[in-house]
């Protein structure tokens, strides 16, 4: 199983000097990615947002800067809001990143849980689903052939045009990010694309049947099982003790969830809700290396996921705490999980 991190590069939306605040966060972010690479983590993903509380609206640019500071870690969007992007430009950006990084680029495409990009780029929310479906179709065509002939209803056709540069990898990896909608999961399976499931509320076990649906949709579409990969993407934090991890993570995570909740009509969270969510059956992976490793391993047996991505840098988390958490994740948690899974693996005759 692959282990990784993702973040939206949160900043203080009320900072008086937004340029300085953005500079600070991106400098720290590059240090975090560099450390993740050094401690042996497999993936680092950056989300695309167009809001005052996040610093990354152009993930490919930041990932290209990270490529120069890293050697092994895969560099992914998490996610690219494909519905309001031009698939040709997305392909070109990540093909370029692939060349710069020596074949480590990935695209994680989604419809986006925030909608600011739609009016910003002149897209209608009435076309929310159609935009994603059509642009995904074009992006897949761009991955598969150098010269593309394609037509749809949401943008002008492409008549036998070459799209460059081509990536170093034979096929630029493309994941589909979903938030729990069965139709989205089934579509990814039918297309034979890896799927990343975000679990930010409720009991994770309730989401496990979605991966069964994914695999069944792929089987019915005749997709090879070798193309199927799954990831669960969650919130969490690791520190030397569980109490310390919870005390550091609660404030920033709760502030973010309450801020978004006010926008979407959710009720406010509390320390009691947080403590319940970090329990054995909850959605938060917060605690000591031993506790988090055990929880990851237990959920892998349930989901059979190929990848686990953790969002630790959420809200205004202290940079030194994030660096400590990344080091523990790579040097303690990931090795412990691998040992647990290896011990439970069936022995081949």
């Amino acid at each position: 199983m692959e282990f990784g991190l993702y973040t939206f590069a949160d900043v203080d939306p009320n900072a008086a000097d937004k340029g300085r605040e953005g500079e600070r966060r991106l400098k720290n972010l590059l240090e975090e990615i560099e450390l993740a690479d050094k401690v042996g983590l497999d993936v680092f993903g950056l989300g695309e947002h167009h809001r005052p509380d996040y610093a990354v609206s152009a993930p490919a640019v930041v990932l290209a800067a990270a490529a120069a500071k890293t050697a092994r870690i895969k560099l992914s969007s998490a996610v690219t809001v494909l519905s309001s992007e031009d698939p040709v430009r997305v392909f070109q950006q990540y093909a370029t990143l692939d060349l710069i990084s020596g074949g480590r680029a990935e695209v994680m495409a989604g419809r986006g849980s925030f909608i600011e990009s739609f009016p910003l780029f002149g897209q209608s929310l009435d076309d929310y689903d159609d935009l994603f479906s059509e642009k995904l179709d074009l992006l897949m065509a761009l991955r598969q052939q150098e010269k593309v002939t394609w037509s749809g209803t949401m943008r002008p056709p492409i008549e036998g045009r070459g799209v460059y540069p081509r990536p170093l990898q034979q096929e630029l990896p493309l994941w589909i990010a979903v938030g729990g909608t069965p139709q989205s999961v089934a579509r990814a399976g039918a297309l034979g694309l890896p799927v990343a499931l975000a679990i930010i509320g409720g009991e994770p076990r309730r989401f496990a049947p979605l991966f069964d649906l994914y695999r069944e949709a792929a089987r019915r579409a005749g997709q090879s099982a070798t193309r199927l990969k799954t990831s669960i993407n969650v919130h969490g934090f690791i520190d030397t003790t569980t109490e310390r991890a919870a005390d550091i993570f609660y404030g920033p995570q709760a502030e973010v969830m309450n801020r978004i909740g006010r926008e979407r009509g959710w009720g406010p969270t509390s320390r009691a809700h947080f403590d319940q969510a970090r329990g054995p059956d909850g959605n938060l992976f917060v605690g000591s290396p031993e506790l988090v490793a055990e929880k990851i391993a237990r959920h892998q047996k349930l989901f059979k996921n190929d990848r686990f991505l953790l969002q630790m840098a959420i809200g205004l988390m202290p940079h030194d705490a994030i660096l400590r958490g990344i080091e523990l994740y790579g040097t303690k948690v990931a090795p412990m999980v691998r040992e647990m899974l290896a011990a439970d693996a069936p022995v081949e005759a």
Side-chain angles (χ1 to χ4, degrees):
M1 185 169 69
E2 291 183 319
F3 298 86
L5 293 158
Y6 72 104
T7 183
F8 304 152
D10 305 54
V11 292
D12 181 358
N14 300 313
D17 189 335
K18 289 183 168 52
R20 289 292 184 189
E21 175 69 356
E23 179 192 39
R24 176 199 64 80
R25 183 64 191 101
L26 292 181
K27 178 179 180 292
N28 289 347
L29 175 59
L30 290 174
E31 290 181 12
E32 292 161 16
I33 302 173
E34 187 174 10
L35 179 59
D37 183 56
K38 287 181 178 178
V39 299
L41 293 175
D42 301 296
V43 188
F44 204 107
L46 289 183
E48 174 200 340
H49 293 87
H50 304 269
R51 299 164 49 93
D53 40 358
Y54 300 120
V56 176
S57 61
V61 177
V62 183
L63 293 172
K69 294 175 172 286
T70 56
R72 193 189 65 85
I73 198 166
K74 296 176 182 177
L75 302 168
S76 177
S77 58
V79 301
T80 294
V81 185
L82 190 59
S83 304
S84 55
E85 288 272 20
D86 181 343
V88 174
R89 291 301 284 157
V90 169
F91 178 84
Q92 291 174 326
Q93 289 163 6
Y94 283 86
T96 302
L97 173 62
D98 203 51
L99 299 176
I100 292 170
S101 65
R104 293 185 283 130
E106 294 186 354
V107 178
M108 188 186 300
R111 292 184 294 181
S113 61
F114 294 96
I115 61 173
E116 288 82 5
S117 64
F118 286 80
L120 187 63
F121 296 112
Q123 305 290 358
S124 172
L125 284 170
D126 293 337
D127 299 325
Y128 187 78
D129 292 319
D130 292 338
L131 281 166
F132 183 76
S133 296
E134 183 169 296
K135 292 186 176 188
L136 178 60
D137 182 64
L138 175 53
L139 183 57
M140 291 181 67
L142 294 165
R143 293 165 70 229
Q144 293 162 2
Q145 53 204 29
E146 178 178 336
K147 290 191 175 181
V148 177
T149 296
W150 178 93
S151 64
T153 61
M154 314 301 291
R155 60 154 288 163
I158 301 175
E159 301 289 348
R161 305 295 300 181
V163 178
Y164 306 101
R166 305 308 297 177
L168 185 62
Q169 298 178 83
Q170 184 174 6
E171 187 173 73
L172 188 67
L174 172 61
W175 289 67
I176 300 300
V178 300
T181 304
Q183 294 87 340
S184 297
V185 174
R187 172 169 53 193
L191 294 173
L193 294 173
V195 65
L197 173 64
I199 303 174
I200 60 170
E203 293 188 2
R205 66 175 56 253
R206 295 193 297 108
F207 295 88
L210 290 173
F211 282 176
D212 296 330
L213 173 63
Y214 166 72
R215 296 180 181 106
E216 176 60 17
R219 186 192 66 80
R220 291 187 178 187
Q223 297 291 350
S224 170
T226 61
R227 295 183 63 84
L228 305 183
K229 293 182 181 179
T230 57
S231 175
I232 58 173
N233 301 359
V234 302
H235 290 179
F237 180 64
I238 304 155
D239 211 314
T240 50
T241 69
T242 294
E243 293 73 19
R244 180 182 170 102
D247 288 345
I248 292 173
F249 192 63
Y250 168 66
Q253 198 261 357
E255 194 280 328
V256 168
M257 299 306 288
N258 282 331
R259 183 173 69 241
I260 297 172
R262 288 190 294 270
E263 297 174 8
R264 301 185 179 184
W266 304 340
T269 189
S270 67
R271 182 60 189 253
H273 293 146
F274 174 83
D275 289 339
Q276 182 178 20
R278 66 183 177 88
D281 299 319
N283 60 284
L284 294 179
F285 288 66
V286 176
S288 67
E290 294 78 11
L291 185 147
V292 173
E294 189 281 329
K295 190 168 184 176
I296 294 172
R298 184 157 41 84
H299 281 82
Q300 200 280 336
K301 295 172 190 174
L302 177 66
F303 283 93
K304 303 294 188 292
N305 49 301
D306 304 286
R307 178 179 284 185
F308 177 86
L309 296 189
L310 187 62
Q311 186 178 8
M312 288 200 292
I314 181 172
L316 301 182
M317 284 286 289
H319 179 52
D320 61 343
I322 291 299
L323 293 178
R324 186 168 61 248
I326 291 172
E327 184 165 5
L328 291 170
Y329 186 22
T331 63
K332 302 288 186 182
V333 174
M336 280 192 282
V337 176
R338 291 190 177 104
E339 288 181 7
M340 293 176 190
L341 297 180
D344 291 338
V347 178
E348 295 184 4

